[in-house]
Amino acid sequence: MSTATSNSYLDNLLQSWQRPPASSWLDQLRANAMDSVGTLRMPSTQDEEWRFTDISPLSRLPYPVAHAAPKVQLSDIKHCYLEEASCRLVFVDGQFVPELSNIADNASAIIGNLSSLLPTGDTIARYLGQLAEFQNDVFTALNTAFLRDSACIIIPKNKSVTTPIHLLFISKQTEVTSYPRCLLIAEAGSNATIIEDYITTEEAPYVTNSVVEMSLANTAHVNHIRVQRDNQQAFHIGNCTVSLAHASQYHSVSITLGAYISRYNLNVILSGEGAECAADGLVLISGRQLADTHTFIDHAKPHGKSRQLHKCIVDGMAHGVFNGKIMVRPHAQLTDSTQLSRNLLLTNKARIDTKPQLEIFADDVKCAHGATVGQLDKEEIFYLKSRGLSELTARNLLTYAFGGEVIDRIPISSLKRQLEEIVLARTQIS
Amino acid sequence: MINQDSKTILEVRGLHANVNGIEILKGLDLTVKSGEIHAIMGLNGSGKSTFAKILAGHPAYEVTAGTIIFNDQNLFDLEPEERARAGVFLAFQYPIEIPGVANNQFLRLAYNTVQSQRGKEELDPLEFDDFVREKMKLLEMNPDFLDRSVNEGFSGGEKKRNEILQMALLEPKLAILDETDSGLDIDALRIVANGVNQLTNKDNATILVTHYQRLLDYIVPDYVHVMEAGRIIKTSGKELAKELEAHGYDWINADDHSKTAGVRL
């Protein structure tokens, strides 16, 4: 068992942390989180939740917290801009960059970074750090302890933000750790679409440790698209916690393309009656990449509905991990839940570990789940070849189509196009 | 149409083939010339569909003996996609569903691949759209099928029409229609047959693999072959199909047996 004191990654971070002198609520939050870090250790493959994901390479890297962000050239990131998004918040190494951001004069919502919105009221203080529990998760605790900036979005009651809000998190410095953070408060009856997008301009390794909290009040409706396109040396640990009140709807699509080792934890709590959630995902990895997705959909109240389609396309010697836990608590009667994990292995050395995990404590529910792991269908390949397509074209087309089913669920056409191009380029290499 | 001077498109001699180690074809011979329509009939398990799949190059079928010359080329030298580009087309008995691949994308890719092989001009998506819509009229197909995934959720009849649409686009030298009539109601059968008839000409040839005579009322063959136990045991003109319909497949055996008996006497 590795302990906090024997881990140079953690050691370095701990040494760089200074107890804040002031005692604002925010300082208090950071201090509490750091206290938690002291009681926790880096997870190892001995831990059930990390059984297939060995993050020991991270433990050997003394990457300090990223400080003042260097300048990013617009030309380096412009290709990731989305034409539909009238509002864009850009963070470089976790810190807000107003020059690259565009906070449209938006009467429908309060959108900005933490320091600019702190004086506007106590809403943020009431929510920040409340959903993302740091007591039991060292990465959430570290993110909270080093919390300096955050994207904050408040959609007031019954307001709709009609265009997507693009949160662009750029990694610029290498061999550092950055702590992107996002808080979304969707008040009753509100409606918004958020794109959480991780990119980099560099090729050397870095660590991203992100935390997202979303709170949906009664009948709020949020679309959440997460795109992780880090470089193939990077480490990426992402945590997202979503709370759904009565009859609210949360639809998410997560696309994982990058990082040497990545882990995404999505926790959705259906804490009000009749809440609805869709949590779809596509992982496309190759080489020696490892991508681990852990989702936890917690049906705590009756009449909830959840839908999940998770797909992995694994090429080369890469390794995909999916753990999809669905909890139906004793009073969550008439829950309707489906989960499907479909996986495509493109080589003999590619590997998948998939684990649907249903824990049902109510007796009147409808729950279905399934998992498939396979290679491309020989009959489909033959059919395409019998029409003149080469073996390679046939394989590429089928691989592309496999991923396309998830990408099609993204409601933003420019992002869909960007991703289709990436997937097409990736599937044509093999 | 039979014309003795026509070029031979397909020459099959002594074809033996296995599936999963079991011998299905046991010495099949067949000659097809351009302009001709051949019907291959026979009971289930006689080897009709195996023969069709072998022509297209399905990897599950192992040829153990015999030769197939297609258009002066050894067919076994060609991969399935090379056969398709050279002009072999198999309309599948059970067309494969391919979720996530749009039908129009697939059709255009197939069309352009074959076109470029023939040194002809490829079409961009807009040009192709006009072109394929015109071809779809031939088969009375709803253009909505272009935007759907290949064969996904299509009815039996819609899948078969989609097969003949591909035949119309690829303009093969040799088309093999494997039980294209199965699962079709009479209206769909008429439409599909009409489409096939418009695509046959003096320069190509068609092999109809079928169980029933019904299809042959609409696509009139020049030759009817009867297969049994992996070989063609009888060849005749279109009237053979009618006799089979009236008397059943046993009639051929009975006929053969009486002849044999006659010799003995």
Side-chain angles (χ1 to χ4, degrees), chain B residues 189-234:
Chain B
L189 180 67
R190 190 182 44 74
I191 292 164
V192 165
N194 185 37
V196 172
N197 283 329
Q198 294 197 40
L199 297 171
T200 58
N201 58 46
K202 66 177 173 50
D203 295 318
N204 61 26
T206 306
I207 297 174
L208 307 169
V209 173
T210 181
H211 201 79
Y212 302 105
Q213 190 267 335
R214 195 176 67 147
L215 175 69
L216 308 182
D217 285 340
Y218 296 92
I219 307 174
V220 180
D222 299 302
Y223 295 98
V224 174
H225 310 276
V226 178
M227 265 187 92
E228 189 187 275
R231 291 167 50 235
I232 288 175
I233 57 158
K234 192 173 178 66

Side-chain angles (χ1 to χ4, degrees), chain B residues 45-94:
Chain B
S46 59
K48 306 185 303 285
S49 283
T50 296
F51 178 50
K53 291 251 174 70
I54 283 173
L55 289 174
H58 194 291
Y61 297 81
E62 184 200 356
V63 174
T64 52
T67 57
I68 302 180
I69 304 298
F70 168 73
N71 239 355
D72 302 326
Q73 278 179 290
N74 178 359
L75 192 68
F76 300 144
D77 286 345
L78 304 178
E79 291 293 317
E81 62 271 31
E82 294 170 326
R83 297 180 192 194
R85 294 172 201 163
V88 176
F89 178 86
L90 171 66
F92 282 53
Q93 182 179 3
Y94 303 108

